[in-house]
Amino acid sequence: MSKATGKAPAGKSDDFRRRRLSLTDVDTSEFPETEPGLEKTPSKERARRMSMSPEMDQTPQQDTLPFPLKTVGTYSCHGVEPGSRQGQTNAKINQDRGCVVYPFAKNYALFCVFDGHGQHGDKVSHYAMSTIPSTLEEKLAKGVKEKDALKATFLKVDGDLKKDKTIDAELSGTTAVVLLYKFDETNKSVARLWAANCGDSRAVLHSNNGKVTDITVDQKPNSPAEEARIRKFGGYVSPPEEEWGGPARVWLDANMTLPGLAMARSIGDHLVDKVGVVADPEVTEFVIDTTKEDMIIMASDGVWEFIDSEQACKLLIKAQEANKNVEDATFQVTKLIETAAAKWRQEEGDYRDDITAICIKLRMLHECHFAS
């Protein structure tokens, strides 16, 4: 792997590297069909359905999904990078992962988005997706409180990843935004939500009155608390590049040797865990009232790079209006991803990041749960 530098790449053909999470090289070898140690662990309490966010050109089979397509919509769109000829693009290996799990533990549903980065980012995000649900379910079954269970799960998965010799996660990692959603059996319109976040994937709540609330906060290296921790452990944070719009980055030292990571927390990236890049998630708790809140959006930064939280919500509302006001989460999330892809084409030309998004229609989610 080549040494990263703090300089901006020269030339339009190299512009695709400017906004990436790490300045280290990316391997484009094929993702293996099967990987050791990534088998799903069945629930000890009851059968569950786990669906992975499909590529945009795939049509999910409704009878295999945790929720109807109109209730929970999710897709993942692989990125592109410059080809060998002018104007040509090549498909990238999709390093994003998304999943929906239901029924989960007792009276829960689980929603996850992961955005891998680095040479083995696809393997790290797949590992996280494959192990977080079963690990979290085991913690909850033992009576661990939700917030503590989420924190312990992230740390255990990261620790197990470090021991796994089949995946090199020294310079590769993944974001993780995980929503643990608990239905209230005594009040069918109310739920409790715990959101665990590492990195800069994001979850957003939309209310009936138009209010938009960020459920998670992006953990950028130059956020005051994050930068203070990194500097305390001897790391160096370079400021955002004003000239070409590059983000703040984490380095091992002031010489900016490695790795140029554009987030302060992640699963993996073990080279920089000694300088304060941690897998310990921030966990926030919300009370959801479906008579007041109507929708949650989760997405990797393939959406958030050029679309902010309010714009994303407005896009989905407009998509519903264009669909004759028929609530359809899959239709809406498709429009969001298509718009994000168009923004990448407009801003970056022949480069596009992977894009993954989940749209959850809350009232319909509760109707599905209590009808079962």
Side-chain angles (χ1 to χ4, degrees), residues 13 81-90 350:
S13 63
E81 59 189 5
S84 57
R85 298 180 181 179
Q86 182 70 26
Q88 182 187 50
T89 59
N90 295 330
D350 51 8

Side-chain angles (χ1 to χ4, degrees), residues 20 78-81 90-95 351-354:
R20 296 308 83 229
H78 67 78
V80 297
E81 59 189 5
N90 295 330
K92 293 167 67 264
I93 293 175
N94 193 341
Q95 296 187 309
Y351 181 83
R352 182 183 74 227
D353 196 7
D354 305 324

